[in-house]
Amino acid sequence: MHKIRKLMRLEMDVELFSCAHAIAMICFYGIIVLIAGEKNVRIVALFEMMALGYVSAWTQKALFLREHVYSRAEYVICEVLWNLMPSVFVPAFASVFEWFDGMPEWAAMAFYITMACYFVFVWLFLRFIHYEETVKMNRQLKKRRKKGGKGDEEGDGTVTSDENIWERPRDF
């Protein structure tokens, strides 16, 4: 049952990010196409962007799939790849599926740069959220240690994988 829950959470994360990536691509693409003077967007291109969002989300999730403490070097490499790989996928998909066929070259470049910035901003947002979450959990853990002597029932003060880290710690 634990593995099924874990897989469901994994897929939900991927679905959330794939939707966010697809929506961003579709919106940025639509705006750039309008600025470029085109009046139509191919519906097939929108589906291709949705597929690219899914591929990008799985790629990003796969980089941090292992459950262990990453060394500083591993973490930096994963961070760079998290931003770089989708930023490479976008022009590759756009070229293969000819999203900017018949449009000025600046439109494609503007889209690529916008999407690269989007991925960096998403990463920065996630880092901020995870940092805030970590600070909050550390404060709760310190409070719990002070109240209960050693910390939790096992006495080592760590949060086990069976505990729900989203719930407020019980008062002892």
Side-chain angles (χ1 to χ4, degrees):
M1 188 65 168
H2 177 69
K3 288 189 183 233
I4 292 172
R5 272 191 306 207
K6 193 173 175 181
L7 285 172
M8 285 175 56
R9 270 192 224 122
L10 174 70
E11 183 60 27
M12 285 173 42
D13 279 351
V14 169
E15 290 293 334
L16 175 74
F17 282 102
S18 69
C19 288
H21 296 342
I23 289 169
M25 276 188 277
I26 290 168
C27 289
F28 294 143
Y29 180 74
I31 291 168
I32 290 171
V33 166
L34 283 173
I35 293 170
E38 295 288 320
K39 299 214 186 305
N40 298 319
V41 174
R42 293 181 309 122
I43 190 78
V44 175
L46 302 181
F47 288 120
E48 292 163 354
M49 288 178 195
M50 291 169 67
L52 176 56
Y54 198 72
V55 168
S56 296
W58 263 113
T59 302
Q60 290 170 327
K61 192 65 176 176
L63 289 169
F64 290 99
L65 205 52
R66 298 186 321 196
E67 291 185 14
H68 79 286
V69 177
Y70 289 84
S71 71
R72 181 71 183 143
E74 283 178 315
Y75 190 76
V76 169
I77 289 169
C78 287
E79 266 185 327
V80 169
L81 290 175
W82 196 96
N83 289 291
L84 187 64
M85 290 177 75
S87 298
V88 169
F89 291 162
V90 168
F93 265 63
S95 296
V96 169
F97 296 114
E98 300 174 342
W99 293 347
F100 294 97
D101 216 25
M103 284 190 241
E105 283 185 36
W106 67 262
M109 292 308 295
F111 182 71
Y112 304 152
I113 291 168
T114 303
M115 287 309 300
C117 291
Y118 162 79
F119 290 119
V120 170
F121 284 127
V122 168
W123 178 254
L124 292 173
F125 176 74
L126 288 174
R127 282 192 66 171
F128 174 75
I129 294 297
H130 287 292
Y131 176 78
E132 291 294 317
E133 203 172 272
T134 301
V135 168
K136 182 180 175 185
M137 285 194 304
N138 285 339
R139 274 194 220 122
Q140 289 176 341
L141 187 58
K142 282 181 185 177
K143 254 191 225 179
R144 194 171 182 181
R145 283 182 179 165
K146 282 181 182 177
K147 276 193 170 190
K150 289 186 174 181
D152 59 354
E153 293 81 24
E154 287 123 25
D156 63 357
T158 59
V159 178
T160 62
S161 61
D162 295 335
E163 293 181 35
N164 185 353
I165 62 171
W166 304 110
E167 289 180 1
R168 204 172 130 258
R170 294 186 315 264
D171 294 325
F172 293 99

